[in-house]
Amino acid sequence: MDRLRSWLRDHLARRPGWMNAVMFFCIFATVIYVPWDFFLKPVADDHEAWFGVLLTGYWAKATEPLHWAIYAAGWYGFWRMRSWMWPWAAVYAAQLVIGMFVWGVFYVGGVSGFVTGMICAAPFALMTRALWDARALFEGPAIALAERYPGWAIITGASAGIGAEYARALAREGLNCVLIARRRERLAALAEELEQSWKVETRIVVADLASPSAAQEVAAAVSDLDIGMLINNAGVGYAGAFEKQDCDRLEQMVRLNCVAPVALTHRLLPKLVDRNRTAVIIVASLAGRQPLPFMAVYSATKSFDLLFGEGLWVELYSRGVDVQVVQPGPVATEFEEASGESRSDPELDQSAYDVVKVSLETLGLAPSITTSWRVHAVATISRFVPRTLMAFISGSMMERQTPPDMR
Ligand SMILES: NC(=O)c1ccc[n+]([C@@H]2O[C@H](COP(=O)([O-])OP(=O)(O)OC[C@H]3O[C@@H](n4cnc5c(N)ncnc54)[C@H](OP(=O)(O)O)[C@@H]3O)[C@@H](O)[C@H]2O)c1
């Protein structure tokens, strides 16, 4: 409970007290007030006010889902301090100012109506002004990553895709990078790019992270460095019916996707805890949210990464380490080709740049994140759909994406 208390205290400290109060009102309206109004209040007693216009009965009921969506968005927006809250939170509050004023003037009437309107509108006018002035708060911490997580960034799987984009984003922020993968020439080209473009230092570590000694070798190769971030990104997929898959390749995948992040994080942990703030990122996948027939072992490895990271987040939060599990959906990288999958809608793939951007913008806010609204919607739906049904749905989708000889 101490860990929960300390996390909540830190979380609430991100906003001024009045904004926490507004956030808690949004939570109350989303969870209790509007659902109670919608589902339990008799139609004849229902009232909703928009811009001061009072709707009753079925008209009031019909607009409640919109009210609910606004409060739910407010809850999410305040909780995560999302940038789109400016100006929209202030715009909504301004609507309330108009509404309260119009309500007073027209529903009370006369001079006392005007006075009532002014009195009712005043607190909302103050709130509108405060939300308008809070733009900087919604634009995220002004602290640069290099200041927040001083030291070197260790990036596994940096020779391609998401890992290479992490390296570019962090070098752009001024962090020195250790680049790890098997393909030396790719790492060397990236190192040269980072050094020339961003004047940072780099170190290349060529390692097969699926080998049992890899974590030890990497830890030795960075033992002289101060580490600010560890990004466990290297991973592979493998599409196919389980019985047709090559057992050695499956074992390699489990070692790379599961054992390597565990072993590397464990070996580097003494350098990460109880310093300034440091970060451990684990790249999991939307595939880890539900069973994925025809990629069953891969999805299980990503489920492992998710639970491993979320558990670690609680253990390490009070030791100064921000753990983040990143769950992208399909991303345009070499992953699809390497795993033997063939996606039906490649144009829906997110870019590796966007995945990394979301990850770094939300680092420190939550134990696990999804990287787009589409991925978030699928992850949320999969939480509520019965698992048996979800397994069949994802199975029929994955079967189509698996080469015929591997089905
Ligand atoms: N792309 C997607 O659709 C997607 C979706 C969700 C999650 N993810 C996850 O995102 C992560 C990065 O994937 P990506 O999309 O960027 O794929 P990618 O473009 O294929 O890159 C994979 C990286 O992992 C490295 N790697 C592979 N096997 C390795 C080994 N045995 N030892 C050391 N490094 C190894 C590769 O480098 P070398 O070959 O040079 O060793 C490469 O740098 C993975 O964990 C993946 O599961 C990807």
Side-chain angles (χ1 to χ4, degrees):
M1 281 326 246
D2 282 351
R3 291 173 201 276
L4 176 62
R5 255 198 300 275
S6 113
W7 171 72
L8 251 182
R9 203 178 324 112
D10 287 357
H11 211 294
L12 295 181
R14 291 201 179 110
R15 289 163 226 92
W18 65 266
M19 199 184 277
N20 279 321
V22 177
M23 179 179 74
F24 280 116
F25 180 76
C26 289
I27 296 174
F28 165 75
T30 310
V31 178
I32 298 173
Y33 182 69
V34 181
W36 178 81
D37 243 17
F38 188 66
F39 291 112
L40 299 178
K41 199 185 248 186
V43 175
D45 297 342
D46 204 11
H47 298 92
E48 289 291 307
W50 290 93
F51 294 97
V53 178
L54 194 64
L55 304 177
T56 55
Y58 282 111
W59 287 110
K61 285 274 182 219
T63 64
E64 265 168 17
L66 182 57
H67 251 152
W68 183 88
I70 289 170
Y71 285 122
W75 171 5
Y76 175 78
F78 282 122
W79 186 256
R80 289 282 177 93
M81 294 302 283
R82 300 314 303 257
S83 54
W84 47 260
M85 286 293 278
W86 194 92
W88 296 111
V91 168
Y92 182 72
Q95 181 271 142
L96 293 177
V97 175
I98 297 169
M100 295 313 281
F101 181 69
V102 171
W103 183 84
V105 171
F106 289 102
Y107 289 88
V108 178
V111 176
S112 56
F114 182 80
V115 173
T116 310
M118 291 296 278
I119 292 170
C120 293
F124 293 97
L126 287 175
M127 188 168 79
T128 305
R129 178 64 205 254
L131 286 167
W132 186 261
D133 289 346
R135 180 176 192 170
L137 285 176
F138 291 119
E139 281 174 348
I143 311 169
L145 282 173
E147 263 176 70
R148 239 161 100 202
Y149 307 109
W152 286 65
I154 315 273
I155 304 144
T156 72
S159 63
I162 298 172
E165 285 306 325
Y166 268 116
R168 288 192 182 99
L170 294 173
R172 203 177 303 128
E173 291 267 343
L175 279 103
N176 297 331
C177 298
V178 177
L179 310 173
I180 306 171
R182 292 166 303 179
R183 286 171 288 180
R184 177 184 292 278
E185 64 298 346
R186 290 262 200 126
L187 295 178
L190 180 63
E192 197 184 331
E193 177 193 330
L194 303 186
E195 284 172 16
Q196 286 188 355
S197 307
W198 311 108
K199 311 292 170 233
V200 293
E201 287 181 62
T202 60
R203 182 175 291 183
I204 288 172
V205 179
V206 177
D208 178 354
L209 291 167
S211 92
S213 57
Q216 203 173 350
E217 287 161 22
V218 171
V222 300
S223 60
D224 58 321
L225 302 179
D226 274 341
I227 300 174
M229 298 178 93
L230 166 62
I231 299 172
N232 289 297
N233 160 76
V236 287
Y238 185 11
F242 181 62
E243 64 171 333
K244 291 194 176 174
Q245 286 175 318
D246 176 68
C247 194
D248 288 343
R249 191 169 158 189
L250 286 175
E251 283 182 25
Q252 294 260 332
M253 181 171 66
V254 174
R255 276 200 291 274
L256 177 67
N257 294 4
C258 304
V259 179
V262 170
L264 202 53
T265 306
H266 198 274
R267 286 191 184 273
L268 297 182
L269 207 54
K271 283 176 159 286
L272 292 163
V273 291
D274 299 333
R275 288 185 39 200
N276 300 319
R277 208 104 200 128
T278 56
V280 173
I281 294 176
I282 299 169
V283 181
S285 170
L286 176 65
R289 301 293 294 240
Q290 70 283 301
L292 218 56
F294 300 93
M295 234 182 172
V297 182
Y298 173 71
S299 76
T301 65
K302 292 293 152 180
S303 198
F304 175 96
D305 289 340
L306 172 63
L307 298 188
F308 166 54
E310 287 185 333
L312 214 55
W313 179 81
V314 173
E315 287 187 36
L316 296 182
Y317 182 80
S318 53
R319 305 287 305 279
V321 185
D322 290 330
V323 179
Q324 183 194 56
V325 181
V326 181
Q327 301 166 91
V331 187
T333 65
E334 295 165 17
F335 176 90
E336 183 186 2
E337 198 186 333
S339 64
E341 196 191 346
S342 77
R343 290 177 190 152
S344 44
D345 260 334
E347 64 278 9
L348 292 181
D349 287 5
Q350 199 176 6
S351 72
Y353 175 89
D354 284 344
V355 169
V356 170
K357 186 166 181 284
V358 174
S359 158
L360 296 179
E361 279 174 2
T362 54
L363 186 55
L365 294 182
S368 57
I369 57 138
T370 46
T371 55
S372 69
W373 67 265
R374 196 177 275 127
V375 178
H376 194 73
V378 176
T380 307
I381 291 166
S382 73
R383 210 184 272 188
F384 297 106
V385 174
R387 293 185 74 76
T388 319
L389 183 59
M390 202 64 216
F392 276 116
I393 293 172
S394 56
S396 82
M397 190 193 80
M398 283 309 299
E399 192 170 8
R400 272 180 272 129
Q401 295 184 188
T402 304
D405 59 320
M406 287 300 285
R407 289 177 194 161

